[in-house]
Structures are given as structure tokens and as C-alpha cells.
Amino acid sequence: MEKYYIVDRSILPDSFDKVIQARKLLETGKASNVSDAVKLVNISRGTYYKYKDLVFLPDESTSDRKAVFSMILDHEPGILSKVLLIISESNASVLTINQDIPIHNMASVSISLDISHMTGTINDLIDKLKGYEFISNVQLIAVE
């Protein structure tokens, strides 16, 4: 949590509030797609996509939080187990794992996690994963 701040919304750009409003319109079905939601709150699609995974209300960030990661793993026995151990050590829970068929001895894997009780930050976990030679191209796809 060292990379997060709690600040009064009055000092933040209005676009942060509007990103949250747009996300709520999408979640409740009041907007059928991102284009409609951003038009209703008067922000650009670029602004929405830039901040959608970074701006949360306090109640949103304290309940069940999820994150989706994508990475490329060497195709060798036990590699996925090592990745799961790294995730487990951060106190995150695996929700789903999707692995593609290995091509050229590399497998694309996406893992969704419950990060509600994770120790450290998402960036800490990404840095740990990137620190292993058998894991490459680690990307955070989404945070909810």
C-alpha cells in the first residue's frame, strides 16, 4: 500500500470522478458500452482507459478485489507450480488459470487473482514475477 494515497477528492481532477461515474454506468447497465458511458459523463475514451484500473472509491478498494495477469512461461515441468508459489507467498488467491498450448517451448498463461488480502502491492508482485528467468512478458491486464 506504500504507493497509494488517500486524498480529498476536491484536489483531484474532475476526470477521476467521471471515470468512476462511467464505470458505474457500465456496471449497472445504464450504458451499454464504453463509448456511451464516456459521452454521458463528458470525458474522452482515452481518459477512461487511462484511469479505469487506477481510480476507486474507498468501498470499492476494500472489498473483494480482483486482478488479471498475463505472462509467458517456459514450457518445462514445474514452472507453473513455481508461479503459483510466488503468488501464494504474496497472499493472493488464484481464481482462474488459462494456459494456451505451448509453441516454441513457451506457453501463454493468464491468471486471475483475488487480491483482497494480498501483502504488498500489485507492482511488488509484478516485480517478483519479472525477476525469474522462466517468466517473461508479465502484464497486468485489469484490476477490479
Side-chain angles (χ1 to χ4, degrees):
M1 295 297 287
E2 63 200 37
K3 294 183 180 187
Y4 297 94
Y5 301 101
I6 298 175
V7 298
D8 189 295
R9 96 173 39 176
S10 66
I11 67 167
L12 297 173
D14 289 339
S15 58
F16 288 2
D17 239 355
K18 291 181 178 186
V19 167
I20 292 171
Q21 291 171 13
R23 191 170 50 231
K24 289 207 180 284
L25 290 171
L26 290 165
E27 289 171 356
T28 60
K30 293 180 181 175
S32 59
N33 57 47
V34 172
S35 293
D36 291 342
V38 298
K39 283 178 189 172
L40 289 169
V41 298
N42 198 28
I43 58 172
S44 70
R45 286 172 50 94
T47 298
Y48 176 78
Y49 283 112
K50 182 176 182 179
Y51 298 115
K52 73 178 184 73
D53 294 326
L54 301 173
V55 180
F56 301 95
L57 293 174
D59 62 318
E60 291 180 54
S61 62
T62 57
S63 62
D64 292 336
R65 294 207 44 217
K66 297 173 188 78
V68 180
F69 293 88
S70 169
M71 63 195 78
I72 305 293
L73 304 180
D74 290 353
H75 182 62
E76 295 177 21
I79 297 295
L80 183 57
S81 293
K82 290 177 183 177
V83 170
L84 296 177
L85 181 61
I86 295 164
I87 291 169
S88 174
E89 289 170 348
S90 72
N91 209 30
S93 290
V94 174
L95 299 171
T96 64
I97 301 171
N98 294 305
Q99 180 174 334
D100 291 336
I101 296 171
I103 297 175
H104 301 295
N105 222 21
M106 305 292 281
S108 174
V109 177
S110 68
I111 301 176
S112 62
L113 303 173
D114 179 345
I115 57 170
S116 304
H117 306 291
M118 188 168 77
T119 54
T121 66
I122 290 174
N123 288 333
D124 292 339
L125 179 56
I126 291 170
D127 290 342
K128 283 180 191 173
L129 291 168
K130 285 182 176 180
Y132 291 91
E133 59 191 36
F134 53 83
I135 304 171
S136 60
N137 199 24
V138 178
Q139 296 180 4
L140 175 65
I141 303 301
V143 177
E144 177 183 63

